Amino acid sequence: QVQLVESGGDSVETGGSLTLSCATSESPLTPACLGWFRQAPGKEREGVTGVFWRTGQMDTASSVKGRFTFSKDNIKNTVYLQMNNLKPEDSATYFCAAAGGFACRHHLLNANVYDTWGQGTQVTVSS
C-alpha cells in the first residue's frame, strides 16, 4: 500500500504563501485519484483539490480556487500544493490522500473515496 508523507506546514501571516509537499512511496506514482484535504479543529475534513491521475481531470474547492495550485513531480514521486494569499480561515491540518478505485473520478473532493492518508501537516495563518 502506498505511503504518503506531508511536509511544509508552517505559521504565516495573512497574505503569505506556503508550498506543501506530499512524498509517496509508490514508484511510479499511479493512484486512481490523489487529493489534498484539510481539517480545522471542530470541523469536518474538507476537500481542497483532487485530481484523476489518468487524465488530469481536477476539482478544486471554491474557497481556494485561484489561490491554491496542485502540481506533481513524476521523477520525485511527489505532489505539491502551492498556497498563495493565505487567509486565517485556511488554518488547518492539511492531508494528502490517494484513492485506488476509479469511482473517485466523480467524487474528487469527497474524503470517503480515498483509502490512503498521510499524517498531515499543520498550517496556521495569523491575521
Side-chain angles (χ1 to χ4, degrees):
Q1 186 177 17
V2 63
Q3 293 182 326
L4 306 172
V5 180
E6 303 94 334
S7 62
D10 205 345
S11 297
V12 297
E13 294 184 347
T14 297
S17 297
L18 283 174
T19 300
L20 305 184
S21 302
C22 175
T24 71
S25 61
E26 187 177 65
S27 180
L29 179 60
T30 56
C33 298
L34 199 140
W36 282 98
F37 292 80
R38 66 186 182 185
Q39 189 167 21
K43 295 188 176 181
E44 292 188 356
R45 192 163 294 189
E46 172 190 19
V48 176
T49 186
V51 60
F52 183 62
W53 206 257
R54 181 175 293 180
T55 63
Q57 171 194 340
M58 190 174 294
D59 196 7
T60 301
S62 58
S63 58
V64 305
K65 197 167 291 185
R67 300 188 297 121
F68 290 14
T69 304
F70 174 93
S71 64
K72 59 180 179 175
D73 184 326
N74 291 327
I75 296 176
K76 295 182 178 179
N77 296 319
T78 300
V79 297
Y80 304 94
L81 183 67
Q82 173 69 42
M83 307 187 295
N84 297 325
N85 190 21
L86 283 161
K87 304 175 181 180
E89 53 263 42
D90 295 320
S91 298
T93 300
Y94 284 71
F95 302 87
C96 66
F102 288 97
C104 64
R105 179 177 189 176
H106 304 291
H107 307 282
L108 291 172
L109 299 183
N110 186 338
N112 292 326
V113 304
Y114 291 82
D115 43 40
T116 302
W117 292 81
Q119 83 290 347
T121 187
Q122 179 68 40
V123 172
T124 303
V125 185
S126 59
S127 57

